[in-house]
Amino acid sequence: MAAFWERNGGNAIVARTAAMIGLSHTTPPADPTQWGMAKTSASDVVATYEYSLDVIPDEVAAPLLAALAGARNPADDEWDQYFGIPDGLPGRSWQVKQGVDDLAECGGTEHDGGS
């Protein structure tokens, strides 16, 4: 991921994508070397999924959405991928992208999920 980040402009990726989709609460990370620390809002996550479903051509969107829908539990790192939304929606379809933040400076790791 770091090579993709550097090759395609780092923080400019977030700015370009936010402008293209119309995301009003998505910002690049304060430290441009920490691509995983970009910030977004719940409404911008919804807008991103709507864009993926309604604007991106199916041949491009389908593998992305299939990967989200096919999240394995546990993930390769042994963390539970179904906490939160998937556990809260038994019998419903869902897609999930877990986020991980290594909070070494405060002695922990934060896991976050959605959609």
mmCIF file of all heavy atoms in Angstrom, residues 49-80:
data_model
loop_
_atom_site.group_PDB
_atom_site.id
_atom_site.type_symbol
_atom_site.label_atom_id
_atom_site.label_comp_id
_atom_site.label_asym_id
_atom_site.label_seq_id
_atom_site.Cartn_x
_atom_site.Cartn_y
_atom_site.Cartn_z
ATOM 1 N N TYR A 49 -20.013 4.337 -0.704
ATOM 2 C CA TYR A 49 -20.692 3.116 -1.134
ATOM 3 C C TYR A 49 -21.727 3.414 -2.216
ATOM 4 O O TYR A 49 -21.856 2.649 -3.176
ATOM 5 C CB TYR A 49 -21.338 2.397 0.050
ATOM 6 C CG TYR A 49 -20.321 1.638 0.860
ATOM 7 C CD1 TYR A 49 -20.042 2.001 2.171
ATOM 8 C CD2 TYR A 49 -19.625 0.558 0.320
ATOM 9 C CE1 TYR A 49 -19.099 1.312 2.915
ATOM 10 C CE2 TYR A 49 -18.678 -0.132 1.057
ATOM 11 C CZ TYR A 49 -18.424 0.247 2.352
ATOM 12 O OH TYR A 49 -17.492 -0.431 3.078
ATOM 13 N N GLU A 50 -22.455 4.511 -2.104
ATOM 14 C CA GLU A 50 -23.420 4.880 -3.145
ATOM 15 C C GLU A 50 -22.706 5.132 -4.464
ATOM 16 O O GLU A 50 -23.177 4.715 -5.531
ATOM 17 C CB GLU A 50 -24.239 6.100 -2.722
ATOM 18 C CG GLU A 50 -25.234 5.779 -1.626
ATOM 19 C CD GLU A 50 -25.960 7.004 -1.090
ATOM 20 O OE1 GLU A 50 -25.485 8.152 -1.288
ATOM 21 O OE2 GLU A 50 -27.014 6.809 -0.456
ATOM 22 N N TYR A 51 -21.569 5.801 -4.416
ATOM 23 C CA TYR A 51 -20.772 6.053 -5.618
ATOM 24 C C TYR A 51 -20.323 4.725 -6.220
ATOM 25 O O TYR A 51 -20.385 4.530 -7.433
ATOM 26 C CB TYR A 51 -19.573 6.927 -5.255
ATOM 27 C CG TYR A 51 -18.753 7.371 -6.428
ATOM 28 C CD1 TYR A 51 -19.076 8.535 -7.121
ATOM 29 C CD2 TYR A 51 -17.642 6.651 -6.847
ATOM 30 C CE1 TYR A 51 -18.318 8.970 -8.198
ATOM 31 C CE2 TYR A 51 -16.880 7.064 -7.920
ATOM 32 C CZ TYR A 51 -17.225 8.219 -8.598
ATOM 33 O OH TYR A 51 -16.473 8.629 -9.665
ATOM 34 N N SER A 52 -19.881 3.803 -5.344
ATOM 35 C CA SER A 52 -19.429 2.489 -5.817
ATOM 36 C C SER A 52 -20.560 1.724 -6.495
ATOM 37 O O SER A 52 -20.326 1.015 -7.481
ATOM 38 C CB SER A 52 -18.883 1.660 -4.651
ATOM 39 O OG SER A 52 -17.763 2.304 -4.090
ATOM 40 N N LEU A 53 -21.756 1.847 -5.987
ATOM 41 C CA LEU A 53 -22.899 1.119 -6.535
ATOM 42 C C LEU A 53 -23.517 1.800 -7.756
ATOM 43 O O LEU A 53 -24.010 1.130 -8.659
ATOM 44 C CB LEU A 53 -23.977 0.961 -5.453
ATOM 45 C CG LEU A 53 -23.611 0.038 -4.298
ATOM 46 C CD1 LEU A 53 -24.617 0.196 -3.168
ATOM 47 C CD2 LEU A 53 -23.521 -1.404 -4.767
ATOM 48 N N ASP A 54 -23.503 3.132 -7.784
ATOM 49 C CA ASP A 54 -24.262 3.873 -8.793
ATOM 50 C C ASP A 54 -23.429 4.496 -9.913
ATOM 51 O O ASP A 54 -23.968 4.786 -10.978
ATOM 52 C CB ASP A 54 -25.070 4.994 -8.131
ATOM 53 C CG ASP A 54 -26.069 4.469 -7.114
ATOM 54 O OD1 ASP A 54 -26.464 3.288 -7.219
ATOM 55 O OD2 ASP A 54 -26.439 5.235 -6.209
ATOM 56 N N VAL A 55 -22.139 4.735 -9.672
ATOM 57 C CA VAL A 55 -21.336 5.484 -10.645
ATOM 58 C C VAL A 55 -20.214 4.640 -11.254
ATOM 59 O O VAL A 55 -20.022 4.650 -12.465
ATOM 60 C CB VAL A 55 -20.749 6.763 -9.996
ATOM 61 C CG1 VAL A 55 -19.885 7.521 -10.985
ATOM 62 C CG2 VAL A 55 -21.871 7.648 -9.467
ATOM 63 N N ILE A 56 -19.490 3.932 -10.432
ATOM 64 C CA ILE A 56 -18.369 3.124 -10.924
ATOM 65 C C ILE A 56 -18.924 2.009 -11.815
ATOM 66 O O ILE A 56 -19.901 1.357 -11.455
ATOM 67 C CB ILE A 56 -17.573 2.523 -9.751
ATOM 68 C CG1 ILE A 56 -16.931 3.636 -8.929
ATOM 69 C CG2 ILE A 56 -16.514 1.546 -10.251
ATOM 70 C CD1 ILE A 56 -16.199 3.143 -7.695
ATOM 71 N N PRO A 57 -18.311 1.781 -12.979
ATOM 72 C CA PRO A 57 -18.781 0.701 -13.852
ATOM 73 C C PRO A 57 -18.781 -0.645 -13.105
ATOM 74 O O PRO A 57 -17.896 -0.916 -12.289
ATOM 75 C CB PRO A 57 -17.762 0.688 -14.996
ATOM 76 C CG PRO A 57 -17.158 2.055 -14.991
ATOM 77 C CD PRO A 57 -17.175 2.502 -13.554
ATOM 78 N N ASP A 58 -19.773 -1.469 -13.405
ATOM 79 C CA ASP A 58 -19.926 -2.744 -12.700
ATOM 80 C C ASP A 58 -18.676 -3.603 -12.743
ATOM 81 O O ASP A 58 -18.333 -4.247 -11.744
ATOM 82 C CB ASP A 58 -21.104 -3.533 -13.272
ATOM 83 C CG ASP A 58 -22.440 -2.940 -12.881
ATOM 84 O OD1 ASP A 58 -22.494 -2.150 -11.916
ATOM 85 O OD2 ASP A 58 -23.439 -3.273 -13.549
ATOM 86 N N GLU A 59 -17.975 -3.621 -13.874
ATOM 87 C CA GLU A 59 -16.793 -4.475 -13.981
ATOM 88 C C GLU A 59 -15.665 -4.027 -13.052
ATOM 89 O O GLU A 59 -14.792 -4.805 -12.708
ATOM 90 C CB GLU A 59 -16.291 -4.587 -15.421
ATOM 91 C CG GLU A 59 -15.795 -3.294 -16.040
ATOM 92 C CD GLU A 59 -16.885 -2.466 -16.713
ATOM 93 O OE1 GLU A 59 -18.078 -2.770 -16.573
ATOM 94 O OE2 GLU A 59 -16.522 -1.488 -17.389
ATOM 95 N N VAL A 60 -15.686 -2.773 -12.635
ATOM 96 C CA VAL A 60 -14.702 -2.263 -11.670
ATOM 97 C C VAL A 60 -15.232 -2.418 -10.249
ATOM 98 O O VAL A 60 -14.516 -2.853 -9.351
ATOM 99 C CB VAL A 60 -14.375 -0.776 -11.965
ATOM 100 C CG1 VAL A 60 -13.445 -0.201 -10.910
ATOM 101 C CG2 VAL A 60 -13.780 -0.633 -13.363
ATOM 102 N N ALA A 61 -16.492 -2.082 -10.037
ATOM 103 C CA ALA A 61 -17.070 -2.115 -8.687
ATOM 104 C C ALA A 61 -17.276 -3.530 -8.169
ATOM 105 O O ALA A 61 -17.094 -3.786 -6.969
ATOM 106 C CB ALA A 61 -18.392 -1.358 -8.666
ATOM 107 N N ALA A 62 -17.642 -4.461 -9.039
ATOM 108 C CA ALA A 62 -17.999 -5.815 -8.598
ATOM 109 C C ALA A 62 -16.899 -6.497 -7.780
ATOM 110 O O ALA A 62 -17.185 -7.028 -6.703
ATOM 111 C CB ALA A 62 -18.413 -6.671 -9.785
ATOM 112 N N PRO A 63 -15.635 -6.489 -8.228
ATOM 113 C CA PRO A 63 -14.622 -7.159 -7.410
ATOM 114 C C PRO A 63 -14.372 -6.460 -6.069
ATOM 115 O O PRO A 63 -14.084 -7.109 -5.063
ATOM 116 C CB PRO A 63 -13.355 -7.147 -8.269
ATOM 117 C CG PRO A 63 -13.675 -6.444 -9.519
ATOM 118 C CD PRO A 63 -15.125 -6.075 -9.523
ATOM 119 N N LEU A 64 -14.517 -5.141 -6.051
ATOM 120 C CA LEU A 64 -14.336 -4.412 -4.795
ATOM 121 C C LEU A 64 -15.436 -4.765 -3.802
ATOM 122 O O LEU A 64 -15.174 -5.063 -2.628
ATOM 123 C CB LEU A 64 -14.342 -2.901 -5.052
ATOM 124 C CG LEU A 64 -13.275 -2.358 -5.991
ATOM 125 C CD1 LEU A 64 -13.532 -0.895 -6.289
ATOM 126 C CD2 LEU A 64 -11.897 -2.569 -5.419
ATOM 127 N N LEU A 65 -16.669 -4.743 -4.269
ATOM 128 C CA LEU A 65 -17.806 -5.054 -3.398
ATOM 129 C C LEU A 65 -17.796 -6.523 -2.986
ATOM 130 O O LEU A 65 -18.144 -6.853 -1.849
ATOM 131 C CB LEU A 65 -19.111 -4.669 -4.080
ATOM 132 C CG LEU A 65 -19.260 -3.169 -4.350
ATOM 133 C CD1 LEU A 65 -20.471 -2.903 -5.235
ATOM 134 C CD2 LEU A 65 -19.328 -2.371 -3.067
ATOM 135 N N ALA A 66 -17.359 -7.410 -3.889
ATOM 136 C CA ALA A 66 -17.263 -8.828 -3.540
ATOM 137 C C ALA A 66 -16.227 -9.051 -2.443
ATOM 138 O O ALA A 66 -16.445 -9.863 -1.528
ATOM 139 C CB ALA A 66 -16.910 -9.655 -4.779
ATOM 140 N N ALA A 67 -15.127 -8.327 -2.508
ATOM 141 C CA ALA A 67 -14.103 -8.455 -1.458
ATOM 142 C C ALA A 67 -14.649 -7.984 -0.115
ATOM 143 O O ALA A 67 -14.387 -8.601 0.927
ATOM 144 C CB ALA A 67 -12.853 -7.667 -1.839
ATOM 145 N N LEU A 68 -15.410 -6.911 -0.123
ATOM 146 C CA LEU A 68 -16.005 -6.420 1.120
ATOM 147 C C LEU A 68 -17.025 -7.417 1.666
ATOM 148 O O LEU A 68 -17.092 -7.655 2.869
ATOM 149 C CB LEU A 68 -16.660 -5.057 0.889
ATOM 150 C CG LEU A 68 -15.721 -3.905 0.546
ATOM 151 C CD1 LEU A 68 -16.515 -2.684 0.124
ATOM 152 C CD2 LEU A 68 -14.817 -3.579 1.713
ATOM 153 N N ALA A 69 -17.821 -7.998 0.774
ATOM 154 C CA ALA A 69 -18.845 -8.951 1.196
ATOM 155 C C ALA A 69 -18.240 -10.285 1.617
ATOM 156 O O ALA A 69 -18.854 -11.040 2.360
ATOM 157 C CB ALA A 69 -19.851 -9.165 0.076
ATOM 158 N N GLY A 70 -17.032 -10.569 1.141
ATOM 159 C CA GLY A 70 -16.396 -11.855 1.426
ATOM 160 C C GLY A 70 -15.382 -11.811 2.545
ATOM 161 O O GLY A 70 -14.495 -12.662 2.599
ATOM 162 N N ALA A 71 -15.521 -10.861 3.443
ATOM 163 C CA ALA A 71 -14.573 -10.759 4.553
ATOM 164 C C ALA A 71 -14.547 -12.078 5.324
ATOM 165 O O ALA A 71 -15.588 -12.602 5.711
ATOM 166 C CB ALA A 71 -14.962 -9.611 5.482
ATOM 167 N N ARG A 72 -13.343 -12.619 5.518
ATOM 168 C CA ARG A 72 -13.199 -13.868 6.262
ATOM 169 C C ARG A 72 -13.116 -13.565 7.749
ATOM 170 O O ARG A 72 -12.624 -12.532 8.158
ATOM 171 C CB ARG A 72 -11.933 -14.595 5.833
ATOM 172 C CG ARG A 72 -12.024 -15.123 4.421
ATOM 173 C CD ARG A 72 -10.737 -15.730 3.991
ATOM 174 N NE ARG A 72 -9.723 -14.661 4.073
ATOM 175 C CZ ARG A 72 -8.434 -14.870 4.257
ATOM 176 N NH1 ARG A 72 -7.962 -16.069 4.353
ATOM 177 N NH2 ARG A 72 -7.601 -13.867 4.332
ATOM 178 N N ASN A 73 -13.603 -14.502 8.510
ATOM 179 C CA ASN A 73 -13.559 -14.339 9.951
ATOM 180 C C ASN A 73 -12.971 -15.595 10.582
ATOM 181 O O ASN A 73 -13.519 -16.665 10.398
ATOM 182 C CB ASN A 73 -14.957 -14.074 10.507
ATOM 183 C CG ASN A 73 -14.909 -13.538 11.913
ATOM 184 O OD1 ASN A 73 -13.969 -12.879 12.284
ATOM 185 N ND2 ASN A 73 -15.930 -13.828 12.682
ATOM 186 N N PRO A 74 -11.856 -15.445 11.278
ATOM 187 C CA PRO A 74 -11.109 -14.217 11.493
ATOM 188 C C PRO A 74 -10.278 -13.859 10.267
ATOM 189 O O PRO A 74 -10.101 -14.672 9.369
ATOM 190 C CB PRO A 74 -10.201 -14.555 12.675
ATOM 191 C CG PRO A 74 -9.941 -16.023 12.523
ATOM 192 C CD PRO A 74 -11.232 -16.595 11.961
ATOM 193 N N ALA A 75 -9.749 -12.647 10.282
ATOM 194 C CA ALA A 75 -8.850 -12.202 9.207
ATOM 195 C C ALA A 75 -7.504 -12.900 9.374
ATOM 196 O O ALA A 75 -7.261 -13.620 10.345
ATOM 197 C CB ALA A 75 -8.677 -10.688 9.282
ATOM 198 N N ASP A 76 -6.618 -12.680 8.428
ATOM 199 C CA ASP A 76 -5.285 -13.286 8.497
ATOM 200 C C ASP A 76 -4.552 -12.924 9.781
ATOM 201 O O ASP A 76 -3.713 -13.681 10.242
ATOM 202 C CB ASP A 76 -4.439 -12.876 7.289
ATOM 203 C CG ASP A 76 -4.940 -13.510 5.998
ATOM 204 O OD1 ASP A 76 -5.701 -14.507 6.061
ATOM 205 O OD2 ASP A 76 -4.579 -13.001 4.928
ATOM 206 N N ASP A 77 -4.882 -11.774 10.350
ATOM 207 C CA ASP A 77 -4.218 -11.356 11.591
ATOM 208 C C ASP A 77 -4.921 -11.907 12.830
ATOM 209 O O ASP A 77 -4.585 -11.549 13.950
ATOM 210 C CB ASP A 77 -4.105 -9.839 11.676
ATOM 211 C CG ASP A 77 -5.453 -9.129 11.732
ATOM 212 O OD1 ASP A 77 -6.508 -9.811 11.767
ATOM 213 O OD2 ASP A 77 -5.461 -7.889 11.726
ATOM 214 N N GLU A 78 -5.920 -12.792 12.606
ATOM 215 C CA GLU A 78 -6.681 -13.454 13.671
ATOM 216 C C GLU A 78 -7.691 -12.556 14.375
ATOM 217 O O GLU A 78 -8.309 -12.964 15.349
ATOM 218 C CB GLU A 78 -5.752 -14.115 14.702
ATOM 219 C CG GLU A 78 -4.877 -15.208 14.107
ATOM 220 C CD GLU A 78 -5.681 -16.343 13.466
ATOM 221 O OE1 GLU A 78 -6.684 -16.788 14.049
ATOM 222 O OE2 GLU A 78 -5.303 -16.780 12.364
ATOM 223 N N TRP A 79 -7.886 -11.318 13.907
ATOM 224 C CA TRP A 79 -8.873 -10.428 14.530
ATOM 225 C C TRP A 79 -10.256 -10.737 13.990
ATOM 226 O O TRP A 79 -10.444 -11.002 12.803
ATOM 227 C CB TRP A 79 -8.527 -8.961 14.268
ATOM 228 C CG TRP A 79 -7.435 -8.483 15.145
ATOM 229 C CD1 TRP A 79 -6.093 -8.457 14.846
ATOM 230 C CD2 TRP A 79 -7.565 -7.978 16.472
ATOM 231 N NE1 TRP A 79 -5.399 -7.967 15.910
ATOM 232 C CE2 TRP A 79 -6.264 -7.664 16.925
ATOM 233 C CE3 TRP A 79 -8.640 -7.769 17.325
ATOM 234 C CZ2 TRP A 79 -6.017 -7.142 18.181
ATOM 235 C CZ3 TRP A 79 -8.398 -7.242 18.577
ATOM 236 C CH2 TRP A 79 -7.098 -6.942 18.996
ATOM 237 N N ASP A 80 -11.236 -10.665 14.883
ATOM 238 C CA ASP A 80 -12.639 -10.856 14.537
ATOM 239 C C ASP A 80 -13.070 -9.764 13.554
ATOM 240 O O ASP A 80 -12.989 -8.584 13.857
ATOM 241 C CB ASP A 80 -13.477 -10.783 15.815
ATOM 242 C CG ASP A 80 -14.976 -10.922 15.573
ATOM 243 O OD1 ASP A 80 -15.378 -11.254 14.443
ATOM 244 O OD2 ASP A 80 -15.730 -10.703 16.533
#
